[in-house]
Amino acid sequence: MRTFNFLTICGLILITLTGLMNHLEAQSIRTDDQDIQPLDLKEGSRITFVGNSLFEQAQPYGIQEFMLLSAWPDKRLTFRNLGWSGDTAEGSARSYISTPPQPYDLLIQQILATAPDVVVIAYGGMEAYEGLNGLKKFEDNLIRLIDTIHSMEAQPVLVTPIPQIPIEKINVNVKERNDNLALYTQKIKEIAHKKDLLVADLFNNFQQIGQTAYTENGIHLNESGYYQAGKMLLSSLGHKDPVWNIDVNSKTNEINASGDLKITDPGINRKGLEFTVHDKHLPHPGHIKTQSGRTLVIQGLHKGVYTLLVDQQNIVSATAKAWANGVQITQGPAFDKARQIREKLIQINDLYFQAYRPLNRTYLVGMRLHEQEQNAYELEVNNLFINRLEDQIALLLNQDPNHYQLKRIK
């Protein structure tokens, strides 16, 4: 356990109490005391994620990328993930065996190479181990990084660390750890306020829902955790998780739909119905257990069992009573397309990781490149595959309308 002098302990107590008061006053994932316009993305924007293990361990899920694509389906967004476990805002984990470049210079080179329009920055988790003594250094390093990204004419977005969840058999003072994380979270939000930046406060939001079900080991997020973090990030950018609800009354022949849904070609009676759904957003892939799904309510049907078909694909069967209460739609053509896109996003993350962090980087781009420099071209080959996958994603995002039919089967 770390030892603290008297002034350090007093400082921690004061700042922790201040953070608690702010938390109770307004629990928001955006900076509470400012009015920032939602993120405005142009078509073809490149979003780069940079930070520590929070982003590196997100790569095998592809969730944050998918949720951003679903929020802006007409922008043809592309993504690069530069997460590096153990990293800090000065790039301390990105050290090659040889220098130059220095770690921070390498971090900037890697960001520049992605040609970003938006850089989502998630630091503070590692620096928080230094407690109050390391706070000023972290502030200086983060501001330097923000200013450098601004000089690239890219827009920084800040993300706070996540809290540590107490679990059994870990010899860690979790309260002390979270006190320090709260300290650094508050500093990140203060910097966001001064710089007029969007900020996603994962720390306080995960404190609210703080269940171990969202982490693998109390420290790193699992699939459900990254889904929750994705919703928090979307909200901080001015968007909410898209809601999909359709309410049909077969007695009055009325259809009400939520959000951006548009319904055409309705044909409704008390023994069945059909209509066409135009939706610019894709659902979150069905194997994410925490997904909100899509709810279809059909009131006024005669007693019996009815099956729903979407583009002639059997989706779900339920009684008239169940349809009147609302049935969750968790599969179908749109979900199939969403899974395909997410799989391609995961492939892109893997390919880019291999390109910018090859296992034999010392030989390809480091001090021994004179031995294997002729093979460095293979790193660029990955970009060809990435470009092809991005083109395929763009085609999948061009959604065709889906034809819904409800037929009585019993």
Side-chain angles (χ1 to χ4, degrees), residues 277-403:
V277 177
H278 305 256
D279 182 11
K280 70 176 187 177
H281 298 289
L282 282 168
H284 300 303
H287 55 277
I288 298 177
K289 295 178 182 178
T290 53
Q291 54 120 351
S292 58
R294 300 179 160 201
T295 304
L296 176 57
V297 177
I298 306 173
Q299 302 178 57
L301 293 170
H302 289 305
K303 289 184 178 180
V305 178
Y306 296 79
T307 189
L308 175 69
L309 296 90
V310 179
D311 297 342
Q312 301 301 315
Q313 183 182 134
N314 284 307
I315 303 301
V316 62
S317 297
T319 63
K321 181 178 180 181
W323 283 113
N325 291 327
V327 173
Q328 290 285 302
I329 311 301
T330 59
Q331 60 180 334
F335 285 90
D336 295 339
K337 187 178 289 189
R339 278 188 284 272
Q340 291 179 53
I341 290 175
R342 187 178 168 200
E343 288 167 2
K344 294 181 188 302
L345 289 167
I346 293 170
Q347 290 178 53
I348 289 171
N349 284 340
D350 182 58
L351 286 167
Y352 194 74
F353 183 88
Q354 294 177 39
Y356 101 96
R357 286 177 66 179
L359 291 174
N360 55 344
R361 62 184 181 270
T362 301
Y363 292 90
L364 295 176
V365 295
M367 69 179 187
R368 301 183 68 172
L369 63 85
H370 61 280
E371 300 178 43
Q372 295 291 329
E373 184 180 9
Q374 71 275 10
N375 295 321
Y377 78 93
E378 295 180 4
L379 302 180
E380 293 299 322
V381 172
N382 279 13
N383 289 329
L384 299 177
F385 293 110
I386 290 172
N387 292 339
R388 183 180 300 174
L389 287 165
E390 288 172 343
D391 289 340
Q392 293 171 359
I393 289 172
L395 290 174
L396 287 168
L397 283 170
N398 293 327
Q399 290 198 79
D400 296 322
N402 298 119
H403 186 64

Side-chain angles (χ1 to χ4, degrees), residues 33-85:
D33 55 353
Q34 60 182 323
D35 182 18
I36 298 179
Q37 293 299 314
L39 187 65
D40 183 22
L41 295 172
K42 64 179 184 292
E43 185 173 356
S45 289
R46 167 69 51 76
I47 298 177
T48 297
F49 300 98
V50 62
N52 49 40
S53 60
L54 180 66
F55 281 157
E56 179 174 343
Q57 297 202 12
Q59 293 178 37
Y61 299 114
I63 292 173
Q64 58 195 8
E65 297 90 345
F66 180 89
M67 295 180 76
L68 287 164
L69 273 177
S70 183
W72 285 278
D74 56 342
K75 297 297 186 181
R76 192 168 177 165
L77 305 179
T78 58
F79 307 91
R80 297 292 183 267
N81 190 317
L82 297 176
W84 197 307
S85 294

Side-chain angles (χ1 to χ4, degrees), residues 50-295:
V50 62
N52 49 40
S53 60
L54 180 66
F55 281 157
E56 179 174 343
Q57 297 202 12
Q59 293 178 37
Y61 299 114
I63 292 173
Q64 58 195 8
E65 297 90 345
F66 180 89
M67 295 180 76
L68 287 164
L69 273 177
S70 183
W72 285 278
D74 56 342
K75 297 297 186 181
R76 192 168 177 165
L77 305 179
T78 58
F79 307 91
R80 297 292 183 267
N81 190 317
L82 297 176
W84 197 307
S85 294
D87 200 29
T88 66
E90 57 182 335
S92 58
R94 299 172 190 262
S95 176
Y96 280 73
I97 294 175
S98 58
T99 56
Q102 295 294 331
Y104 180 76
D105 296 328
L106 179 59
L107 168 62
I108 298 307
Q109 288 177 18
Q110 290 170 341
I111 296 173
L112 269 172
T114 68
D117 296 289
V118 176
V119 181
V120 185
I121 305 168
Y123 283 119
M126 292 302 299
E127 292 94 333
Y129 282 109
E130 299 300 321
L132 186 62
N133 291 331
L135 191 60
K136 182 62 169 63
K137 180 182 178 182
F138 169 69
E139 179 181 14
D140 292 342
N141 286 331
L142 184 57
I143 290 174
R144 176 178 62 162
L145 179 58
I146 290 168
D147 291 343
T148 305
I149 290 169
H150 271 140
S151 72
M152 302 176 191
E153 297 186 353
Q155 181 174 353
V157 172
L158 302 186
V159 176
T160 75
I162 62 172
Q164 183 164 338
I165 306 299
I167 62 174
E168 296 180 0
K169 299 180 180 179
I170 288 190
N171 186 24
V172 173
N173 186 331
V174 175
K175 182 182 183 303
E176 178 187 304
R177 172 66 174 155
N178 281 330
D179 285 347
N180 287 333
L181 288 169
L183 193 67
Y184 281 71
T185 292
Q186 187 60 34
K187 179 57 66 177
I188 291 168
K189 294 173 72 174
E190 288 174 5
I191 293 171
H193 175 62
K194 292 176 183 177
K195 296 282 187 178
D196 288 330
L197 300 179
L198 296 168
V199 56
D201 184 356
L202 304 192
F203 181 83
N204 286 306
N205 281 273
F206 270 109
Q207 287 277 57
Q208 293 178 45
I209 63 174
Q211 303 297 317
T212 55
Y214 295 118
T215 72
E216 295 178 350
N217 52 10
I219 301 172
H220 300 117
L221 296 177
N222 57 21
E223 183 178 33
S224 297
Y226 277 112
Y227 176 73
Q228 294 295 332
K231 291 203 296 184
M232 296 171 194
L233 176 59
L234 267 185
S235 182
S236 74
L237 301 180
H239 284 263
K240 292 185 178 180
D241 198 15
V243 175
W244 194 104
N245 290 313
I246 295 177
D247 195 333
V248 182
N249 191 318
S250 63
K251 290 182 179 180
T252 61
N253 292 342
E254 292 180 303
I255 299 181
N256 294 306
S258 64
D260 297 320
L261 296 178
K262 181 181 177 182
I263 308 297
T264 60
D265 307 319
I268 306 172
N269 60 58
R270 298 188 68 187
K271 295 183 179 179
L273 57 88
E274 62 180 334
F275 53 85
T276 300
V277 177
H278 305 256
D279 182 11
K280 70 176 187 177
H281 298 289
L282 282 168
H284 300 303
H287 55 277
I288 298 177
K289 295 178 182 178
T290 53
Q291 54 120 351
S292 58
R294 300 179 160 201
T295 304

